[in-house]
Amino acid sequence: MSTQPLRIALQKSGRLTDDSLALLKDCGIKLSVGGRKLIAPASNFPLEVYFLRSGDIPAYVADGVADIGILGENVVVEKQANVEQLMSLGFAGCRLSLAIPRGETYTGWDYWEGKEIATSYPNTLKKTLDKKGIKASVQTISGSVEIAPSIGLAAGVCDLVSSGSTLLSNGLKEVEVLLRSQAVLVANPNRSEAQQGILDRLLFRIKAHLAAANNKYILLNAPNDKLDTISALLPGMKSPSIMPLGDSGWSSLHSVVQESDFWDRIDALRAAGAQGILVLPIEKMIV
Ligand code: PRT
């Protein structure tokens, strides 16, 4: 009996599309994507891709039309659909923020009392206002939210921000962050054993890819009398590999360092006496 493929919903066209497809490619999954196809099967993995609007993905996954999906966490929160959030994927970072005209003085949450706020995220905004005990009027609009104050539709906006240049060019300033978001993998909570098996294989590959992207392979030379200090700065996956150099009194250390504190660690290694430091990208990392 042939295995039923796992169905994954991806954004058809937009900010998430390229990174979502690149992630599957980095997981070694080959798709026949082309033309205007809405469904693309993988040729070397039991996966079938459905291309949908990202706003529709929570409902499709919750209803079981797709088994899993990739979309912004902001949409998962807003749609309140019955989906399980499996993991963050590290791209499409943004925040959902409140913004007001630059010339206005912001006085904190009380500022919003009795005011009108334009947004495409009414559920998330209303929930936050309720939590803060603020009574404001939420105007739901589906696009070009940032022009609402200048046309007299609202006192402020609640919209997604990444670089901040859209707010700037519309004469607005960010005053509160409601939510920080990135792309996430979600799943229908009711999975068969077979679907779970395919999902586990996919998760294993995604984790290996993300771990590799967040780490670097490092090689360096260390004087033997400094080995303990330098090794302590290189916890790696277990501990560094240490090999004697031809030059007596010196050793070569190999390890893995995290991207997040990479430069601080390099500074500490140099200060501790490390020399000839080489840093290489990692293709995949199985932890
Ligand atoms: O697919 P569908 O049509 O349903 O969705 P969509 O129109 O919302 O898609 P798209 O491609 O615009 O956004 C998809 C996802 O990308 C969002 O749900 C977020 O998770 C994520 N994302 C990351 C962003 C941004 N950054 C972003 N900056 N989505 C939208 N923006 C917009 C924002 O609304 C504002 O208009 O970009 C503008 C602000 O950008 P900056 O850089 O000027 O601050």
Side-chain angles (χ1 to χ4, degrees):
M1 199 175 71
S2 68
T3 322
Q4 188 78 12
L6 193 71
R7 298 156 303 168
I8 183 169
L10 303 186
Q11 188 187 29
K12 183 170 176 290
S13 159
R15 287 167 208 266
L16 301 167
T17 312
D18 288 351
D19 284 332
S20 302
L21 289 171
L23 177 67
L24 294 185
K25 191 172 174 215
D26 286 331
C27 290
I29 295 170
K30 288 190 184 140
L31 296 176
S32 49
V33 183
R36 291 170 166 270
K37 281 207 303 192
L38 297 181
I39 299 182
S43 59
N44 60 349
F45 193 85
L47 192 78
E48 194 166 64
V49 178
Y50 291 6
F51 291 101
L52 303 168
R53 289 196 57 189
S54 83
D56 295 335
I57 292 177
Y60 279 114
V61 174
D63 293 348
V65 174
D67 304 307
I68 58 173
I70 293 178
L71 73 164
E73 196 175 352
N74 51 303
V75 177
V76 180
V77 172
E78 176 63 22
K79 300 286 181 183
Q80 300 169 7
N82 181 25
V83 296
E84 188 184 341
Q85 206 166 301
L86 297 178
M87 67 188 298
S88 299
L89 299 172
F91 59 86
C94 59
R95 51 201 188 270
L96 182 65
S97 294
L98 281 162
I100 61 172
R102 247 199 324 269
E104 295 284 319
T105 304
Y106 187 64
T107 50
W109 282 97
D110 288 348
Y111 178 90
W112 300 105
E113 192 65 46
K115 293 210 166 69
E116 294 187 324
I117 311 171
T119 189
S120 309
Y121 290 85
N123 295 329
T124 313
L125 175 58
K126 282 179 193 162
K127 238 185 183 173
T128 309
L129 291 171
D130 282 351
K131 242 191 242 165
K132 301 281 177 189
I134 303 295
K135 299 234 170 332
S137 158
V138 174
Q139 306 286 319
T140 306
I141 50 178
S142 58
S144 304
V145 172
E146 58 283 347
I147 62 164
S150 64
I151 59 170
L153 187 69
V157 302
C158 175
D159 198 9
L160 295 177
V161 181
S162 44
S163 68
S165 66
T166 303
L167 291 185
L168 196 69
S169 60
N170 284 281
L172 300 172
K173 63 179 176 188
E174 192 175 2
V175 291
E176 300 284 357
V177 175
L178 277 62
L179 174 85
R180 292 192 186 274
S181 173
Q182 60 175 291
V184 290
L185 184 71
V186 297
N188 181 297
N190 308 310
R191 298 184 286 276
S192 68
E193 219 170 283
Q195 286 169 328
Q196 184 63 48
I198 303 171
L199 180 57
D200 286 343
R201 286 170 61 201
L202 180 65
L203 287 174
F204 176 79
R205 293 186 186 198
I206 294 176
K207 283 177 189 159
H209 164 70
L210 293 181
N214 293 331
N215 288 278
K216 299 261 180 268
Y217 191 75
I218 183 165
L219 304 89
L220 55 85
N221 297 331
N224 288 343
D225 58 348
K226 302 274 172 54
L227 269 182
D228 288 347
T229 319
I230 292 177
S231 296
L233 291 167
L234 291 170
M237 291 170 81
K238 273 207 170 65
S239 57
S241 311
I242 303 178
M243 284 156 273
L245 284 184
D247 194 348
S248 71
W250 284 79
S251 297
S252 169
L253 274 72
H254 296 205
S255 190
V256 164
V257 289
Q258 280 190 6
E259 181 77 47
S260 54
D261 66 347
F262 175 76
W263 287 110
D264 289 341
R265 214 161 273 267
I266 295 291
D267 288 344
L269 288 166
R270 290 179 64 224
Q275 291 183 14
I277 302 174
L278 291 178
V279 180
L280 307 171
I282 299 172
E283 175 63 30
K284 296 284 180 284
M285 189 164 153
I286 315 297
V287 287

